[in-house]
């Protein structure tokens, strides 16, 4: 039976969306209507999400980590402080962008792009530390039941809408077998009456090819999940 990994899937989703944000911000045509507001919103939404993610880890994972592997917890605490400072710089640059003159906009866009990439580079190190230091420490120091309990407690803390959003953010970044296992679990939990509706919701952010593969792996047609006319 696979080990309970509290970081892997959500981190894969974060990496995918951070890389996409950086590429799209760098290439954005700021002369288009609402382009500046859109990019600023996306950057600020991402830093807010990453802060909330850190709070979630502190609440559900790092309490146990501090008890069983305090050295690893101390290292993560230091990382969070460093990241908070980088987030603040990025937020300031994003909020300043709408007030930039047309002549300075190109350079300001690139400076925001560089600040975002600085955050990404620091955040990748943080993710790697959690995945290669914190998680192995928990595997060694905590039981499978304790780790499963953490995951269950987190799931119980989410509203149905938040749970769907979590999956929509994560599933496109996962390999087909992992995506299938998650989709099967959540549709089974939804019950026969709501399984199609749930599948439609969680597959909304998948590419056409990913969605077709998922439905094929589940053995259902894409029309099966659509609401009746």
């Amino acid at each position: 039976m696979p080990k309970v990994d509290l970081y892997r899937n959500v981190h894969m989703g974060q990496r995918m969306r951070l890389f996409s944000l950086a590429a799209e911000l760098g290439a954005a045509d700021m002369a288009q209507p609402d382009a500046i507001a859109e990019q600023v919103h996306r950057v600020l939404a991402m830093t807010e999400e990453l802060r909330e993610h850190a709070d979630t880890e502190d609440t559900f994972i790092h309490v146990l980590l501090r008890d069983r592997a305090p050295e690893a917890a101390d290292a993560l605490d230091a990382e969070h402080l460093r990241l908070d400072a980088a987030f603040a710089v990025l937020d300031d640059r994003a909020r300043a962008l709408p007030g930039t003159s047309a002549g300075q906009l190109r350079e300001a866009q690139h400076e925001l792009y560089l600040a975002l990439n600085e955050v990404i580079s620091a955040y990748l190190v943080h993710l790697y530390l959690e995945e290669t230091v914190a998680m192995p420490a928990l595997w060694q120091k905590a039981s499978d039941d304790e780790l499963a309990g953490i995951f269950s407690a987190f799931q119980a803390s989410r509203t149905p809408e938040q749970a769907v959003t979590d999956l929509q953010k994560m599933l496109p970044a996962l390999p087909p077998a992992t995506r299938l296992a998650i989709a099967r679990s959540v549709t089974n939990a939804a019950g026969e009456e709501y399984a199609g509706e749930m599948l439609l919701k969680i597959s909304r952010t998948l590419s056409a090819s990913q969605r077709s593969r998922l439905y094929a792996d589940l053995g259902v047609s894409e029309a099966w999940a659509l609401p009746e006319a």
Side-chain angles (χ1 to χ4, degrees), residues 2-227:
K3 295 178 180 179
V4 176
D5 194 322
L6 301 171
Y7 297 110
R8 181 172 177 166
N9 291 343
V10 66
H11 284 182
M12 290 181 72
Q14 287 181 335
R15 286 185 176 100
M16 181 196 73
R17 287 180 294 106
L18 284 166
F19 297 156
S20 294
L21 177 58
E24 291 163 15
L25 172 61
D29 181 359
M30 294 301 190
Q32 294 301 310
D34 301 323
I36 294 175
E38 178 187 356
Q39 295 302 322
V40 169
H41 171 75
R42 293 183 67 196
V43 170
L44 295 177
M46 180 60 73
T47 55
E48 180 181 2
E49 177 187 331
L50 296 182
R51 288 186 180 98
E52 290 176 353
H53 176 72
D55 290 342
T56 296
E57 290 179 336
D58 283 341
T59 300
F60 293 98
I61 303 175
H62 297 163
V63 172
L64 181 62
L65 188 68
R66 288 186 185 95
D67 180 61
R68 306 294 172 84
E71 298 86 357
D74 288 345
L76 292 184
D77 287 342
E79 284 287 311
H80 280 158
L81 290 174
R82 184 166 69 99
L83 286 168
D84 283 343
F87 293 159
V89 171
L90 179 58
D91 285 350
D92 287 345
R93 286 201 180 278
R95 293 191 180 104
L97 191 66
T100 304
S101 66
Q104 297 297 319
L105 184 57
R106 183 177 178 184
E107 287 306 310
Q109 176 184 359
H110 190 66
E111 288 171 2
L112 179 60
Y113 171 81
L114 293 178
L116 173 60
N117 278 278
E118 181 180 3
V119 164
I120 291 172
S121 65
Y123 199 70
L124 292 178
V125 173
H126 176 70
L127 297 184
Y128 187 73
L129 180 64
E130 288 181 333
E131 293 164 347
T132 63
V133 176
M135 197 65 242
L138 286 171
W139 283 332
Q140 183 178 9
K141 303 289 187 178
S143 69
D144 290 343
D145 286 344
E146 286 176 309
L147 298 180
I150 289 173
F151 188 67
S152 296
F154 167 72
Q155 288 182 311
S157 75
R158 307 296 279 171
T159 66
E161 293 77 15
Q162 287 173 325
V164 168
T165 299
D166 291 342
L167 291 173
Q168 289 173 338
K169 290 177 177 179
M170 184 172 61
L171 289 179
L174 304 181
T178 305
R179 192 182 302 128
L180 171 62
I182 293 172
R184 187 169 281 155
S185 174
V186 298
T187 54
N188 287 344
E192 185 175 349
E193 182 178 359
Y194 299 105
E197 179 183 353
M198 178 59 70
L199 181 58
L200 187 65
K201 288 179 179 179
I202 67 172
S203 64
R204 190 162 289 151
T205 55
L206 299 179
S207 68
S209 61
Q210 288 176 330
R211 187 164 51 251
S212 294
R213 171 65 185 273
L214 176 60
Y215 279 69
D217 287 345
L218 287 167
V220 299
S221 70
E222 294 191 42
W224 172 80
L226 295 174

